[in-house]
Every structure is written in C-alpha cells, then in structure tokens.
Amino acid sequence: MDIAIKTENLTYFYNVDETGDQDIPDVLDNVSLEIKKGTFVAILGHNGSGKSTLAKHMNALLLPKGGTVTAFGMDTKDESLLLEIRRRVGMVFQNPDNQIVSNVVEEDVAFAPENLGVASPEIRRRVDDALKTVGMYEFRNHAPHLLSGGQKQRVAIAGVLAMDPECIVFDEPTAMLDPSGRRDVMEIIHKLRYERGTTVVLITHHMEEAALADRVIVMSDGHVVMDGKPKEVFVRVEELDELGLTVPETTRLLFELKNAGVDLPLDALSIDECAKVLADKFG
Amino acid sequence: MLKDITLGQYFPGDTVVHRLDPRTKIVLVLVYIVAMFIAESFASYALMLVVLALAISLSRIRLATVLKGVKPLIFVIAITAFLNIFYTSGRVLVEFWIFKITEEGIFNAIFMSLRIIMLIMGTFMLTYTTSPIMLTVGIEQLLGPLKVIKVPVHELAMMMSMALRLIPTLIEETDKIMSAQKARGADFDTGNLIQKAKALLPILVPLFISAFRRADELAVAMESRCYHGGEGRTRLNVLTMSGRDYISFASAAAVLAGVITLAHFGL
Ligand SMILES: Nc1ncnc2c1ncn2[C@@H]1O[C@H](COP(=O)(O)OP(=O)(O)O)[C@@H](O)[C@H]1O
Ligand SMILES: [Mg+2]
C-alpha cells in the first residue's frame, strides 16, 4: 500500500437549482488518479476547472456522486472513518482569515487535536512542535488578526500539522500572499516533503511553485488533461497556452528562442539549468 | 472610526487578571454587575470605582483603551442623563417652559451615567483579558449542568466564540470597503439621517455577502480540522482554580457585602 489518495471514475456536480430542470454540468467528470505516498504533486488549471472540488474530495468534505475516492485505503463514503480520514489528510485553504478559529495563535493551532480528543499535555507538545516547524513559536500568544498574511497562513498550516497528518492538500495557499509570504509557505512545504515525508498536494497558479513538484497534473473543465513530471508537462507550451495557463519564465524564454530559430531543449526548468543550456549554446 | 469599536476584542497579556480562571472572571463580573445595581450612594460608588480601578491597573490595559469601549454608547448614556435630569421630581433648581431641572435630577443623571459607564467598563474588562476560546470554555463549563435539560450549551458557546472571532475581521473589512467607496466619491458624513443611511447601503451589501462567504469557508475549515461538535473534545488549557481565584472570590464577596451594608444603612 503506497497510495495516499486514489480516485476512481470520480464524478461530481453541485446541486445548483433544484427547480430548474436544465442539465447540471459535471464539475468533475470521470477523474481517475493515484497519488503516491511521500510525493509532491502540483495541480494546475484555470479558474473553475474543478481543482478545489477535487481537493475537497480528498478529505471527505465532498462525497463523490459517481465513482469512489479512497484516502490511505479508506473509502471516504464510510462515515465511521470520517475523522480518521480528515486527521490523516489535512487541508490548507487560500484565505488564512477564513480558517483561523481563535483569537490566540496557540489556541487556534490546538483546535484540531482538541476536536480529536487528544490529551492536554500531548496537545501542548504538538502545538509547540507545529509552531516551531512553521517558525511562529514566538507568536504563540499573539492575536492572529494582527499578523501579516504570510504569518497567518503559517499559523493555519501549523493548525493542520497539529493533527499529525500524513498528507496535506494546499488549495492555492499563496494566492493572497506577498512574495515573502509565498516564499515562506513554499519553504515549509519543501521541509514537510523532504524532512517529514508528508505527501503534498499543491493547487497553485504559480508555475514556479509547480515546477518544484515531483509531478504536475493539469485540469480543464473537470478532466485531467495532462499528467507527468514538470519537465514533461511544461514543454507542451502551446497546449498550456490554449488552456489559458502560463509556463515558467525559463520555459517561456527557451520557447521564444526556439520559435526564433534557435534549437534549444525546452525542459531546462530551473534557472541554473536554463542558464547552462544557454551558455552551452552561445558561450 | 470603526477601529474604535473594541467590543469583543481581546488584549493578550500575562497579568494576574489574564491568568484568572475564566469561570472566576465571569462570576466576578456578574457579582460586579449586581453590586453596581445595588450601589446607590457616594460611598458605594466610590467603593466600586476602587474595584474597577484595581482591576484595570492589575490587567495593565490602558485606561484610554477601556474608555474607548464606552464611546459607541455615548448616545445611550446622553439620553439616559437627559431623561434623568428632566424627569425626576424634587427640589426645583431651574425652570423654563415645560422643563424643570431638579437637584435630584442632576444627581440621578450623574449616578445613572456613571453606572452605565462603569457597567460597560467592568464587563469589557472580561473580554479584554479573556481570550474568546477561554471565555467559551468558561461559559460552557458554568452552564454545563444545563445539558441535562437538553440545552445545547457547547453549540451556544461555540457560536459566541465564532462571533467574537469574526468581529475584528469584519471591522477591518468595513473600514476597507468604506475607504474604497470614499475613494470613489462616496460621502458618509454629510446629509440628513436618511441620506446617511442610504450612503451606508453600498457598504452593508458587500459586507453581508462577504460575511456569509467567510462563515461558509470557516465552517469548511473547521470541519476539515475534525470539528464534530462538543462530544469528546479535550482542551489545550484545562481549567483549574488556584489560590488567586479563591482570593478573588473572597474579595468579591467582601465587596458585595460592603455594598449591601452601605445600601442597608442608606449611605
Ligand atoms: N458551492 C458551489 N456551488 C455551486 N457551484 C460551485 C460551487 N463551488 C464551485 N462551483 C462551480 O464548480 C466549478 C469548479 O469550481 P472549483 O472546483 O472551485 O474550481 P477551481 O478551484 O479550479 O477554480 C465552477 O464552475 C464553479 O462555479
Ligand atoms: Mg479553487
């Protein structure tokens, strides 16, 4: 068993209007995916392509209307497993203001273990540990609404870490942050992935963030349209353009040069690689 | 302007007052309120003022901050004072047209205003020095016995703490929306009451929409953090009464006895 999240023919639609008898469009249409334990998977797609809907199926916030979703082998439809699924698959949302439940940082971080009935001394240990992991320990007695956006998001991540999850789904965690807040969040994700072996699912609009993943999934209108290593996905520049997605700056540069008649490999994703390719060609 | 509203705000700190058990603080505030209503004389008001001053200074919360809490209610206080001045019978000091100002009226106006101000300041000391979650825990435990008669104590307490949590966020948001509207030429300060109310509409609509969206997202976030009601919940900070709580209870009893005695002798 090395699969963290598995969806099989997952289909979902929102019940918009009970009276209207027009066809309700499927927001997710036969999505089948397997996310391996300990990997870092990025999900891309334009607005409304169904990314958040897919994410919410991973910890049973939504239940499939067709097909199945299993998290660590547990069927999300099994109500008796609900808390265990949510404990093992944490979720961080876009707006930190709307996921912080307390007016004190450490009480907020304690919320999940309190819900799980963890004993007080163990809650204390987890809260301190989680706050140290995200570098917010000195702020444990502060009021969250007085923190910066990036700091709030780190508190929100700590709140999820306190559940001791094996997988964390981040739904555009950096969309509302300034560049330094974004960097902090990405550093934490990196740390979780490489030091703790946490499975990470990152939904993002920032291609530079997706480029750091082990695997990139591209969604469009409720379908998975591309799936592969970042290098394999980002070389499909024209298709991505058609989907309304950008590509990393490095790929864009190489692509434009190629169009101008310079023969270059498109898969030099990191800035170092890109520089090396250019140096080899022109140097 | 809206930043002045301090209702439900919590000022973290590490003073004796902050560390008192929330149950103790709730009981103390209730005793304080009762005492304020029994107090009727200079002596008893003086005693209560000392109590309030002691609480404020021990909590190290700035007096200006505590007074700020009174500001939004100035209107109510002014009306109370006004009614008391003109509608108390007694020895007439000034008389014009249909109005009579009596000596008793002036005293009543001062005492009633002072009572309201002191009540507000005293109760706000509770929320200023107790985090909403601690307040919730306190109320939940104090009302715990009501669960027997099927009162949804946990749910009520949770609703209250969520409201307190969202207030600062919504105030911030209102300020933002107002600035945005002002930048587009909206005018909130001139015109009659109806015009002013109309000017507020473009603020209230986005504010309500955003409040509902926030509440929705918050509910999802709570669920995904395994919230499933009060059943089987534990606490990071377990409430325990200590020496300072017992000392506070004793002092509160003494003050209450003092106020009752003063009232009894008509002082
Ligand atoms: N609560 C909801 N009720 C009705 N429709 C929704 C709801 N949430 C999302 N949708 C619709 O489902 C589609 C996919 O949304 P979403 O999963 O949020 O996409 P993404 O996260 O990729 O932007 C959109 O067309 C959106 O309008
Ligand atoms: Mg989304």
Side-chain angles (χ1 to χ4, degrees):
Chain A
M1 269 296 301
D2 59 342
I3 303 296
I5 310 281
K6 180 173 178 177
T7 75
E8 267 177 305
N9 304 318
L10 166 60
T11 300
Y12 190 83
F13 52 86
Y14 288 97
N15 296 334
V16 190
D17 186 7
E18 301 287 348
T19 51
D21 54 359
Q22 77 263 37
D23 267 352
I24 303 167
D26 283 348
V27 172
L28 293 175
D29 184 13
N30 265 300
V31 176
S32 295
L33 279 174
E34 280 184 1
I35 292 173
K36 283 207 184 71
K37 276 187 195 168
T39 55
F40 173 10
V41 178
I43 301 182
L44 302 175
H46 57 79
N47 275 332
S49 56
K51 306 181 298 292
S52 297
T53 307
L54 174 63
K56 283 183 180 153
H57 277 87
M58 295 180 182
N59 70 345
L61 285 172
L62 294 176
L63 296 178
K65 301 226 165 136
T68 54
V69 176
T70 48
F72 297 98
M74 298 175 283
D75 189 334
T76 59
K77 274 186 178 147
D78 186 342
E79 223 172 292
S80 65
L81 298 172
L82 190 68
L83 285 185
E84 182 60 10
I85 291 172
R86 290 193 180 151
R87 185 194 73 70
R88 288 170 76 170
V89 184
M91 191 165 294
V92 177
F93 299 90
Q94 187 181 77
N95 190 342
D97 274 325
N98 299 352
Q99 45 187 325
I100 289 175
V101 295
S102 171
N103 293 26
V104 183
V105 167
E106 67 170 21
E107 285 178 5
D108 182 78
V109 176
F111 185 69
E114 287 179 342
N115 289 332
L116 291 163
V118 175
S120 300
E122 170 67 7
I123 298 181
R124 167 58 60 194
R125 196 195 61 73
R126 287 196 196 182
V127 167
D128 290 352
D129 183 53
L131 282 171
K132 281 175 188 157
T133 304
V134 300
M136 289 297 289
Y137 185 67
E138 309 84 81
F139 294 89
R140 63 192 177 283
N141 289 319
H142 283 232
H145 72 273
L146 300 177
L147 300 174
S148 76
Q151 290 174 323
K152 284 185 214 172
Q153 195 60 295
R154 276 146 71 188
V155 171
I157 295 173
V160 169
L161 288 179
M163 297 193 290
D164 209 4
E166 284 158 64
C167 171
I168 303 181
V169 181
F170 294 85
D171 192 349
E172 302 192 35
T174 60
M176 302 184 78
L177 307 184
D178 59 11
S180 93
R182 235 154 63 197
R183 207 165 37 242
D184 289 341
V185 168
M186 287 312 293
E187 262 170 34
I188 293 168
I189 290 179
H190 195 80
K191 197 155 128 186
L192 294 177
R193 157 84 174 78
Y194 288 100
E195 288 173 19
R196 298 202 175 189
T198 310
T199 311
V200 172
V201 177
L202 172 70
I203 298 174
T204 182
H205 278 297
H206 295 282
M207 299 302 144
E208 286 71 24
E209 295 173 8
L212 301 171
D214 302 314
R215 173 180 169 197
V216 175
I217 293 170
V218 181
M219 294 195 54
S220 179
D221 297 328
H223 298 272
V224 171
V225 288
M226 292 184 209
D227 185 353
K229 291 198 171 66
K231 287 185 183 202
E232 295 162 9
V233 169
F234 286 127
V235 294
R236 295 158 75 175
V237 179
E238 276 128 340
E239 286 168 75
L240 287 167
D241 276 345
E242 252 168 57
L243 292 170
L245 297 171
T246 55
V247 293
E249 305 273 299
T250 46
T251 314
R252 175 66 64 191
L253 173 65
L254 297 170
F255 179 72
E256 296 299 340
L257 284 171
K258 192 169 178 180
N259 277 356
V262 187
D263 185 31
L264 286 167
L266 286 181
D267 65 353
L269 253 185
S270 72
I271 294 179
D272 288 343
E273 279 176 300
C274 181
K276 188 174 174 301
V277 171
L278 291 175
D280 287 350
K281 187 80 184 173
F282 301 109
Chain B
M1 144 195 174
L2 283 160
K3 290 254 154 66
D4 295 342
I5 301 177
T6 45
L7 171 71
Q9 240 184 62
Y10 166 55
F11 299 96
D14 196 23
T15 69
V16 193
V17 185
H18 285 87
R19 269 175 286 152
L20 273 182
D21 189 295
R23 291 170 293 182
T24 309
K25 281 189 265 190
I26 294 168
V27 171
L28 289 187
V29 166
L30 290 177
V31 170
Y32 174 86
I33 291 172
V34 170
M36 275 316 300
F37 277 106
I38 296 174
E40 261 170 357
S41 61
F42 277 117
S44 44
Y45 267 70
L47 176 60
M48 294 311 292
L49 261 176
V50 170
V51 170
L52 183 62
L54 192 70
I56 294 175
S57 66
L58 281 178
S59 72
R60 299 225 188 92
I61 288 175
R62 295 203 348 264
L63 184 61
T65 314
V66 187
L67 283 171
K68 247 192 194 169
V70 181
K71 235 168 122 186
L73 287 155
I74 279 198
F75 192 57
V76 177
I77 297 165
I79 288 183
T80 314
F82 178 85
L83 291 178
N84 273 292
I85 285 185
F86 293 109
Y87 290 93
T88 313
S89 54
R91 210 166 66 82
V92 179
L93 289 179
V94 190
E95 190 171 352
F96 59 94
W97 192 31
I98 53 164
F99 297 110
K100 282 193 201 102
I101 297 182
T102 62
E103 198 180 290
E104 287 80 357
I106 292 177
F107 273 113
N108 270 357
I110 294 174
F111 275 118
M112 283 307 284
S113 312
L114 203 57
R115 177 178 281 168
I116 298 177
I117 293 171
M118 286 171 71
L119 279 173
I120 298 170
M121 288 170 74
T123 24
F124 274 23
M125 285 306 292
L126 176 63
T127 54
Y128 285 167
T129 62
T130 318
S131 82
I133 288 213
M134 276 324 218
L135 205 55
T136 316
V137 181
I139 293 177
E140 200 177 339
Q141 298 219 349
L142 281 175
L143 298 182
L146 294 182
K147 276 185 201 155
V148 180
I149 54 165
K150 296 268 190 291
V151 176
V153 175
H154 168 78
E155 284 71 15
L156 290 174
M158 186 52 104
M159 272 160 62
M160 191 196 79
S161 95
M162 282 300 126
L164 291 174
R165 152 71 188 83
L166 282 174
I167 285 170
T169 310
L170 290 179
I171 288 177
E172 233 169 73
E173 185 142 335
T174 314
D175 257 352
K176 250 189 244 162
I177 298 174
M178 277 178 105
S179 316
Q181 308 279 31
K182 270 188 194 153
R184 290 183 218 147
D187 180 3
F188 303 113
D189 304 319
T190 53
N192 61 30
L193 209 60
I194 293 174
Q195 283 167 329
K196 275 189 189 169
K198 268 191 183 155
L200 280 178
L201 203 64
I203 298 174
L204 290 180
V205 173
L207 190 67
F208 267 88
I209 293 174
S210 124
F212 279 113
R213 203 202 52 234
R214 275 181 200 285
D216 223 33
E217 281 185 27
L218 196 58
V220 171
M222 284 168 70
E223 263 189 78
S224 77
R225 280 163 77 186
C226 299
Y227 181 67
H228 57 115
E231 206 181 313
R233 272 199 108 213
T234 47
R235 291 288 179 187
L236 167 65
N237 299 306
V238 183
L239 299 185
T240 44
M241 296 269 175
S242 63
R244 53 178 170 262
D245 294 292
Y246 299 120
I247 293 171
S248 312
F249 283 131
S251 320
V255 169
L256 189 62
V259 171
I260 292 174
T261 315
L262 286 172
H264 183 73
F265 290 110
L267 279 167

